[in-house]
Amino acid sequence: MPLETLSITNCLISESDLMHLSRCLSISQLKDLGLNGVNLTSMSSRPLQVLIERASATLQDLDLDECGIMDSQFSALLPALSCCSQLTTFSFCGNPISMAVLESLLHHTVGLSKLSHVLYPAPLESYEDVRGTLHLGCLAQLHTWMKQMLQESGRPG
């Protein structure tokens, strides 16, 4: 029986756990992958990259909220994400990423015709201070830039 949904929330998992998951035969039919609150900060991005690659033909919903994914890890995942032709929803809120990585995400995923819902964190550059105060002017500029980039690529929505 195929595994269509895998949701792991607020658990401690290891790199070897993720690699083991990616080797499961049924992972190639996965439609929904959620790793909310799973701390991936100290892990190599390779196990998650392999997992996403193996599920890329069927994956529709990917949720990586609050995983502590840093720029270098996220950048390594982008090629795998760009292969997810069935992806409709992608969420990675609560991860400390930069504007450069967010821009790279847009470039890698703009060709995914079914991707219609992306939830992302405010980039690190849009915070005024370490207490987490957002700079509203930076956010407005980011919104304008993203809207323009999507329109130029034929994806106004």
Side-chain angles (χ1 to χ4, degrees), residues 19 22-23 27-29 49-57:
M19 283 308 287
S22 68
R23 289 186 195 114
I27 213 72
S28 64
Q29 297 173 356
Q49 180 183 3
V50 170
L51 184 61
I52 292 170
E53 285 171 356
R54 297 236 169 107
S56 65

Side-chain angles (χ1 to χ4, degrees), residues 68-86:
I69 298 173
M70 311 293 257
D71 277 2
S72 60
Q73 293 167 304
F74 197 75
S75 293
L77 296 176
L78 290 176
L81 275 176
S82 64
C83 293
C84 295
S85 59
Q86 302 303 308

Side-chain angles (χ1 to χ4, degrees), residues 4-65:
E4 292 186 358
T5 300
L6 176 62
S7 182
I8 301 172
T9 306
N10 297 318
C11 292
L12 294 174
I13 60 174
S14 67
E15 283 187 49
S16 61
D17 292 334
L18 280 179
M19 283 308 287
H20 179 74
L21 280 172
S22 68
R23 289 186 195 114
C24 294
L25 293 177
S26 61
I27 213 72
S28 64
Q29 297 173 356
L30 193 64
K31 292 181 180 179
D32 185 353
L33 175 60
L35 297 176
N36 293 337
V38 174
N39 189 342
L40 303 173
T41 304
S42 60
M43 281 188 204
S44 156
S45 58
R46 185 72 183 140
L48 183 56
Q49 180 183 3
V50 170
L51 184 61
I52 292 170
E53 285 171 356
R54 297 236 169 107
S56 65
T58 57
L59 195 60
Q60 297 173 1
D61 188 356
L62 178 59
D63 193 340
L64 300 174
D65 289 344

Side-chain angles (χ1 to χ4, degrees), residues 99 103 106 140-150:
M99 182 62 192
E103 183 176 350
L106 287 174
Q141 286 177 340
L142 171 64
H143 177 74
T144 301
W145 170 81
M146 289 179 75
K147 196 172 182 179
Q148 178 184 353
M149 183 181 170
L150 289 170

